[in-house]
């Protein structure tokens, strides 16, 4: 559940982006991500996570840029799809950086759900690399869909919606299915 809550800023952004506008969506994403980060800093036994820190930086930076009056004709302010592209590309970068730092972002959430003695198990770590890789793939699909919509404005917006839903639902289902499959294969049900 923790990993899904970490995506609340993106959900807040998506909802307000559709209902009110991209600047308001960015501000909402920044506020929600800051709230989640503060929650972890103030909760005993919890630590700030790579995804939450990156999300605060991403939404905070984009919201500040938008509110401070970045160039009005830039992809940032001039296009809702452009803002989504920046957000999705930023999320993809956060996930890829977590892999590059050898700290796949899912590992921090998984460690909150398993006993400490499994934390250094190579199978546990490998499982988290695979799951993080699937999330990276899902975010890459979002970036590609955004790019297609940016350069092909004649396509219906539902193209992006369908791509987003399929990619995210696939990543969510994989996240719950894959660890169970690994445990079953290892005989540690």
């Amino acid at each position: 559940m923790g990993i899904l809550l970490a995506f609340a800023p993106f959900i807040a952004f998506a909802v307000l982006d559709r209902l009110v506008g991209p600047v308001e969506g960015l501000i909402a994403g920044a506020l929600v991500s800051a709230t989640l980060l503060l929650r972890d800093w103030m909760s005993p036994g919890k630590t700030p996570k790579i995804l939450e820190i990156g999300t605060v930086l991403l939404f905070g930076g984009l919201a500040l840029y938008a509110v401070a009056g970045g160039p009005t004709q830039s992809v940032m302010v001039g296009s809702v799809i452009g803002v989504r592209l920046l957000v999705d590309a930023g999320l993809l970068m956060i996930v890829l950086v977590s892999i590059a730092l050898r700290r796949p972002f899912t590992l921090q959430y998984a460690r909150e759900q398993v006993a400490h003695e499994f934390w250094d198990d190579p199978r546990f770590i490998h499982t988290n690399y695979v799951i993080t890789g699937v999330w990276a793939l899902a975010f890459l699909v979002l970036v590609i869909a955004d790019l297609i919509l940016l350069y092909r404005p004649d396509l219906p917006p539902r193209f992006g919606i369908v791509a987003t839903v399929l990619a995210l639902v696939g990543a969510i289902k994989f996240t719950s299915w894959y660890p169970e499959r690994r445990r079953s294969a290892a005989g540690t049900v």
Side-chain angles (χ1 to χ4, degrees):
M1 186 59 163
I3 195 168
L4 296 180
L5 185 59
F7 292 110
F10 296 92
I11 295 167
F13 164 74
V15 169
L16 285 176
D17 175 47
R18 291 263 181 214
L19 296 176
V20 184
V23 174
E24 293 81 1
L26 290 171
I27 292 169
L31 292 173
V32 172
S33 61
T35 301
L36 290 174
L37 187 58
L38 282 172
R39 176 202 63 163
D40 276 356
W41 258 324
M42 300 177 91
S43 298
K46 289 197 174 266
T47 58
K49 295 170 183 59
I50 291 171
L51 183 61
E52 292 167 354
I53 294 167
T55 301
V56 166
L57 294 173
L58 174 66
F59 280 113
L62 290 174
L64 186 61
Y65 179 80
V67 170
T72 56
Q73 295 306 316
S74 74
V75 102
M76 170 67 191
V77 178
S79 164
V80 172
I81 298 297
V83 174
R84 277 194 228 132
L85 173 60
L86 292 173
V87 169
D88 293 340
L91 183 55
L92 175 60
M93 291 308 299
I94 292 166
V95 172
L96 293 175
V97 166
S98 80
I99 293 170
L101 293 174
R102 303 180 57 85
R103 296 182 56 136
F105 87 94
T106 60
L107 192 58
Q108 293 173 304
Y109 297 96
R111 284 182 173 162
E112 290 180 349
Q113 298 177 359
V114 301
H116 191 277
E117 61 262 16
F118 296 111
W119 287 13
D120 295 322
D121 185 310
R123 291 173 297 193
F124 176 72
I125 293 169
H126 175 76
T127 296
N128 280 280
Y129 271 106
V130 171
I131 293 170
T132 300
V134 166
W135 279 100
L137 183 62
F139 299 136
L140 179 62
V141 167
L142 271 59
V143 167
I144 291 169
D146 294 339
L147 284 168
I148 290 170
L149 287 171
L150 190 63
Y151 290 102
R152 290 283 317 271
D154 57 310
L155 290 175
R158 81 174 154 254
F159 169 79
I161 294 168
V162 169
T164 298
V165 168
L166 290 175
L168 295 180
V169 167
I172 290 167
K173 287 187 176 282
F174 186 85
T175 299
S176 60
W177 169 80
Y178 187 68
E180 290 299 323
R181 179 186 175 278
R182 293 278 295 184
R183 279 191 287 275
S184 295
T188 58
V189 177

